[in-house]
């Protein structure tokens, strides 16, 4: 049972919002809709209170930056990004990101339903009642798989270039970073993609970080400021840097586990840069036995 209480607003405002969302959903579902044009029109109205054409006449530089054809995302510079797939979601990502900077985006009654609609046209899949707060960043968006009743809080980074799964009821707290790619220690351009899995009912708490390829099982929890570079079993609570399972929830075994880290088919990793096609070998060692390094460390 939820601990949140219902909040109501003026009926006239709610009716106006509902009409806007219905129109937006209809336009996005129409294959003939020019998503770039749609996004720039909505941003001009939301940010400047005028049509895009009027803004173009009065403030051409401002208008240019509302049109996603005239801006770039970091993902566009990377070989791992599927150009065709990103082209389709790019204007919607720009609309999402830019609307978050407006009073409309900061208003949960408007912003959350707007993001829910956009997610349905950006993500690989999204379930019912997705709740996403403001200022959440994606790498590409199209590699997100989100279940039912998932909550993502403010200022979260979802690096989905290699794929992220958030299963039913998963909760992602403020400032969490979830990654799905890694860099070689010796060669930064040697990038490996690994899908990261967050199980059903799992909780990732404030400022925690999940590295690529990690599997957080159903009903598991990652503690505040923890850094996970592995797995957490069902009902496990992982803490620390790096995170270790130090507690287990006192809860009877449940039926129907979907994500159990010990049984999950972990990916070997997909190479993102054709210049580095081979699996990345182990590239580090402990400093023990290196006289030069021990001398440097002893001087600190």
């Amino acid at each position: 049972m939820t601990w949140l209480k219902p909040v109501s607003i003026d009926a006239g405002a709610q009716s106006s919002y509902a009409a806007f969302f219905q129109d937006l959903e209809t336009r996005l579902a129409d294959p003939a809709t020019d998503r770039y044009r749609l996004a720039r029109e909505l941003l001009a109205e939301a940010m400047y209170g005028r049509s895009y054409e009027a803004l173009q006449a009065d403030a051409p530089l401002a208008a240019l930056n509302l049109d996603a054809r005239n801006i770039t995302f970091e993902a566009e510079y990377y070989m791992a990004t599927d150009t065709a797939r990103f082209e389709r979601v790019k204007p919607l990502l720009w609309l999402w990101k830019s609307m978050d900077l407006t009073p409309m985006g900061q208003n949960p009654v408007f912003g959350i339903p707007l993001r829910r609609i956009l997610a349905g046209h950006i993500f690989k899949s999204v379930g019912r009642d997705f709740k996403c707060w403001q200022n959440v960043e994606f790498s590409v968006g199209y590699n997100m798989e989100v279940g039912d009743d998932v909550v993502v809080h403010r200022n979260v980074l979802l690096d989905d270039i290699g794929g992220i799964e958030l299963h039913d009821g998963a909760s992602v707290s403020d400032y969490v970073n979830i990654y799905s790619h890694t860099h070689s220690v010796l060669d930064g351009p040697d990038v490996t993609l690994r899908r990261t899995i967050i199980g059903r009912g799992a909780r990732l708490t404030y400022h925690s970080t999940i590295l690529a390829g990690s599997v957080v099982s159903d009903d598991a929890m990652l503690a505040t400021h923890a850094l996970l570079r592995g797995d957490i079993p069902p009902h496990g609570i992982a803490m620390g840097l790096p995170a270790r399972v130090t507690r287990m929830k006192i809860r009877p075994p449940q039926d129907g586990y979907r994500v159990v880290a010990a049984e999950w088919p972990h990916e070997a990793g997909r190479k993102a840069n054709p210049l580095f096609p081979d699996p990345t070998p182990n590239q580090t060692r402990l400093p023990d036995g290196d006289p030069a390094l021990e001398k440097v460390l002893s001087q600190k």
Side-chain angles (χ1 to χ4, degrees):
M1 179 178 295
T2 180
W3 62 281
L4 301 175
K5 66 178 184 179
V7 178
S8 60
I9 61 170
D10 177 76
Q14 186 63 69
S15 178
S16 296
Y17 296 165
F20 173 87
F21 296 137
Q22 183 176 2
D23 178 68
L24 177 60
E25 184 62 81
T26 299
R27 296 173 74 180
L28 287 173
D30 184 353
T33 296
D34 183 335
R35 293 182 170 192
Y36 285 88
R37 180 178 294 276
L38 172 62
R40 76 186 190 186
E41 288 174 356
L42 295 179
L43 289 176
E45 291 290 345
M47 300 179 76
Y48 297 96
R50 66 186 81 175
S51 70
Y52 181 80
E53 289 71 21
L55 183 65
Q56 199 171 30
D58 297 339
L61 286 180
L64 285 172
N65 280 278
L66 299 187
D67 191 331
R69 294 183 181 92
N70 304 320
I71 63 95
T72 61
F73 280 83
E74 181 180 353
E76 294 180 84
Y77 296 91
Y78 297 132
M79 295 179 179
T81 300
D82 185 315
T83 302
R85 294 176 71 188
F86 191 76
E87 178 72 15
R88 180 163 176 75
V89 304
K90 179 180 176 180
L92 303 188
L93 287 171
W94 190 237
L95 176 60
W96 182 322
K97 185 182 182 74
S98 300
M99 286 292 283
D100 278 358
L101 304 178
T102 72
M104 297 165 74
Q106 294 293 312
N107 175 13
V109 171
F110 188 92
I112 289 175
L114 173 64
R115 296 181 200 106
R116 185 177 295 144
I117 291 172
L118 294 177
H121 296 273
I122 295 173
F123 294 175
K124 185 174 182 179
S125 63
V126 61
R128 68 171 183 269
D129 294 330
F130 173 55
K131 182 185 291 184
C132 186
W133 296 80
Q134 62 266 37
N135 305 323
V136 172
E137 293 275 353
F138 305 93
S139 292
V140 294
Y142 59 73
N143 274 336
M144 289 294 307
E145 296 180 64
V146 177
D148 296 336
D149 304 310
V150 169
V151 179
V152 178
H153 289 270
R154 297 166 295 176
N155 302 300
V156 167
L157 171 62
L158 297 171
D159 162 47
D160 65 309
I161 187 70
I164 292 175
E165 296 181 21
L166 301 177
H167 288 248
D168 296 350
S171 175
V172 182
S173 295
D174 308 70
Y175 297 96
V176 166
N177 296 330
I178 304 177
Y179 292 94
S180 65
H181 82 278
T182 64
H183 292 263
S184 158
V185 172
L186 302 183
D187 293 292
D190 180 3
V191 175
T192 301
L193 308 179
R194 292 190 175 92
R195 181 174 297 276
T196 301
I197 312 296
I198 310 301
R200 184 176 55 178
R203 293 168 57 195
L204 311 176
T205 65
Y206 185 77
H207 262 299
S208 58
T209 298
I210 300 86
L211 299 186
S214 297
V215 177
V216 179
S217 301
D218 290 351
D219 195 42
M221 181 174 176
L222 183 62
T224 297
H225 288 282
L227 171 66
L228 181 67
R229 58 180 186 183
D231 299 338
I232 308 178
H235 317 301
I237 301 175
M239 308 177 183
L241 296 166
R244 298 281 189 271
V245 177
T246 58
R247 296 286 189 276
M248 298 294 292
K249 295 180 182 180
I250 301 175
R251 198 191 296 278
Q254 301 174 0
D255 295 329
Y257 288 110
R258 295 181 187 176
V259 178
V260 178
E263 303 170 1
W264 196 262
H266 293 65
E267 293 184 352
R270 294 156 283 139
K271 301 311 291 283
N273 188 340
L275 298 177
F276 298 89
D278 300 323
T280 303
N282 183 27
Q283 298 176 330
T284 64
R285 62 177 176 80
L286 294 174
D288 298 343
D290 187 331
L293 180 58
E294 291 178 357
K295 181 177 179 180
V296 171
L297 294 176
S298 68
Q299 294 173 351
K300 291 186 177 181

